[in-house]
Amino acid sequence: MLLKNASYLNHEFSLAKGDLFINDGKIIIDGLPQDDTLEVIDCDDYVIIPGLFNSHYHGYSYVAKGIGRDIKIEEWCKDSPQGRVQNQLFKSIDGLSDEEYQVICMKSYMEMAKKGITFVSESEPGNNPGITAEGIRKIGLRGFVDTYHQIEEYYERQQQNLTFGTHLLEEEDITDETILSCLQAKEKYPSSLFLTHCMENDWRRDLIYSAYNKSSIVLYKEHGLLDHKTVLFHSVYANDHDIELIRDAGSSIVHCPVSNHWTGAGIAPIGRMLEKGINVCIGTDYASTDIWETMKAAYFLLKNHRPMDRFTAEDIFKMATISGAKAFHQPSLGSIKHGYDADLVFIKKDCFIPSIHTDGFSNLVHNLLFETKEEQIQHCLVQGRWIMRDRQLLLVDEEEINKKYMDILNKLFGNYK
């Protein structure tokens, strides 16, 4: 396949122009072939970006929109009208069949594909990580699935474009015994990624300081659980010492700014983390697939208490692409670069007018971040294979999945109508 007249974000996140040859799922920029039999696609109407990473998501949560509104996480499932709704919903979700659970996850993954997400990190695979992983595969996305205690079954397994890892401990689960168990898992599965919600809110911070008089990050470090295979979600309450430890260990942070706001968790010190050289990626977290909203929120928060030009839209795109690829050890993803995998998103140019490019100044990446609307995201390639053309998903029957999804919603919420 030859992408003619392509305008694309290169590995430095500046606009490049030229032809891109896609061969065996890879991007070829140098040495384009002379082959009259190639499929040629005129890309003059598009800006092409690398596929986006959603580096933290809870698969079932698309059905849980609004159930956590206006209360902190530690107040969930309490004896209140809202808490009883939550308890009933979670009980009903636990009672779904594997197929039903896969369908509600696939609904999320379909929405992600239409927003330009090509890689999702799944943090809540239900009772069967393989079923959830299969849902990601059916849509055509890449993904990582946290298998929790089922890691032995999935360790070092790669299922097409899917990889698997396991879980560290949230603060409410940390004891001397569980730390030892986690350390044993680390020794038994040394190549696995270990992920967890970490120092997410003041409740979790207070729990760990009350029990150990130190942060969970310090505890991870002391027990050999903090390294380049560690991915920490949120870290809103990481202090300067914690940030130094994360940097020295080469661990990654997943920033979830929209989720942090609606849960009342607070504002994560992402600016300090970036300035220290920590690998920070980005995730929608819970009940949302809107990566663009999340990216814009991250941009706005980085403007607080810093020079206006310290962080730019280019930094945000890096968090959603290259940094996600680094966190999940995907060295051939995250950039439009010679030899990299062809995970590409095609966005109509008409939303970026005016588009200004002159010596030392361009507004394209900034406008790309702030003016892209979902309907302008037209096509999507994963490893050189079309998974969406003209906003139509090609590998699944959207109408069928949407019907099954609505049937499941009626099953879950029928008593509340």
Side-chain angles (χ1 to χ4, degrees), residues 31-318:
L32 298 179
Q34 300 297 318
D35 186 347
D36 294 337
T37 67
L38 284 176
E39 177 187 10
V40 178
I41 298 170
D42 187 354
C43 298
D44 194 52
D45 291 335
Y46 304 101
V47 172
I48 304 174
I49 67 170
L52 302 175
F53 277 66
N54 188 354
S55 294
H56 178 41
Y57 185 71
H58 296 261
Y60 78 88
S61 67
Y62 209 64
V63 303
K65 291 181 178 181
I67 70 159
R69 67 171 183 84
D70 305 326
I71 58 173
K72 290 192 172 185
I73 291 172
E74 60 267 32
E75 298 299 321
W76 284 31
C77 298
K78 293 292 181 67
D79 187 18
S80 67
Q82 186 172 356
R84 288 190 287 275
V85 170
Q86 291 172 330
N87 270 315
Q88 182 58 47
L89 175 60
F90 296 144
K91 181 179 178 181
S92 298
I93 289 171
D94 287 341
L96 294 176
S97 68
D98 283 349
E99 180 186 1
E100 289 171 323
Y101 194 87
Q102 185 183 83
V103 166
I104 62 176
C105 291
M106 286 178 69
K107 173 63 175 176
S108 295
Y109 306 146
M110 288 197 314
E111 297 300 320
M112 290 185 199
K114 292 197 166 188
K115 292 175 174 65
I117 294 167
T118 58
F119 184 105
V120 56
S121 169
E122 177 54 72
S123 294
E124 201 132 10
N127 297 322
N128 192 331
I131 292 294
T132 308
E134 179 69 6
I136 298 172
R137 185 200 65 77
K138 285 179 178 178
I139 304 300
L141 301 179
R142 298 180 188 267
F144 171 91
V145 178
D146 186 343
T147 65
Y148 291 77
H149 62 281
Q150 298 183 58
I151 180 61
E152 183 172 7
E153 180 181 350
Y154 293 92
Y155 181 56
E156 291 190 333
R157 182 197 296 188
Q158 182 154 348
Q159 184 177 315
Q160 292 187 332
N161 287 329
L162 293 148
T163 55
F164 301 88
T166 190
H167 208 69
L168 274 180
L169 300 162
E170 278 80 25
E171 285 79 5
E172 63 268 32
D173 298 322
I174 293 177
T175 65
D176 291 349
E177 292 75 19
T178 57
I179 290 174
L180 177 59
S181 177
C182 213
L183 182 58
Q184 290 169 342
K186 183 77 170 172
E187 292 170 347
K188 189 173 182 180
Y189 310 112
S191 66
S192 177
L193 295 183
F194 281 71
L195 304 85
T196 190
H197 301 79
C198 173
M199 302 293 284
E200 178 178 0
N201 48 38
D202 55 359
W203 167 61
R204 283 177 161 153
R205 176 203 61 191
D206 293 347
L207 279 176
I208 199 65
Y209 273 91
S210 176
Y212 288 93
N213 197 31
K214 61 185 70 172
S215 75
S216 50
I217 294 165
V218 171
L219 280 171
Y220 299 148
K221 175 63 177 177
E222 289 177 350
H223 290 87
L225 297 170
L226 192 71
D227 60 24
H228 68 289
K229 295 186 179 70
T230 307
V231 181
L232 304 176
F233 310 138
H234 302 287
S235 300
V236 171
Y237 283 88
N239 60 31
D240 287 343
H241 180 53
D242 295 330
I243 290 171
E244 297 281 350
L245 293 177
I246 294 166
R247 179 201 62 193
D248 293 346
S251 304
S252 293
I253 297 292
V254 182
H255 184 32
C256 306
V258 173
S259 157
N260 291 342
H261 276 304
W262 73 258
T263 64
I267 299 174
I270 296 302
R272 297 208 305 275
M273 292 179 181
L274 290 171
E275 287 169 347
K276 291 290 186 180
I278 290 173
N279 186 59
V280 178
C281 41
I282 201 160
T284 62
D285 189 12
Y286 196 88
S288 171
T289 60
D290 195 341
I291 194 73
W292 295 89
E293 175 190 46
T294 305
M295 291 163 66
K296 285 184 275 193
Y299 175 91
F300 288 134
L301 289 172
L302 285 171
K303 293 300 173 183
N304 289 325
H305 313 301
R306 282 179 174 77
M308 279 295 293
D309 61 351
R310 177 62 185 86
F311 296 108
T312 65
E314 286 82 354
D315 294 301
I316 302 302
F317 273 100
K318 180 179 178 182

Side-chain angles (χ1 to χ4, degrees), residues 361-372:
F361 178 80
S362 171
N363 67 351
L364 180 120
V365 178
H366 185 275
N367 287 358
L368 188 65
L369 176 60
F370 282 96
E371 303 302 328
T372 296

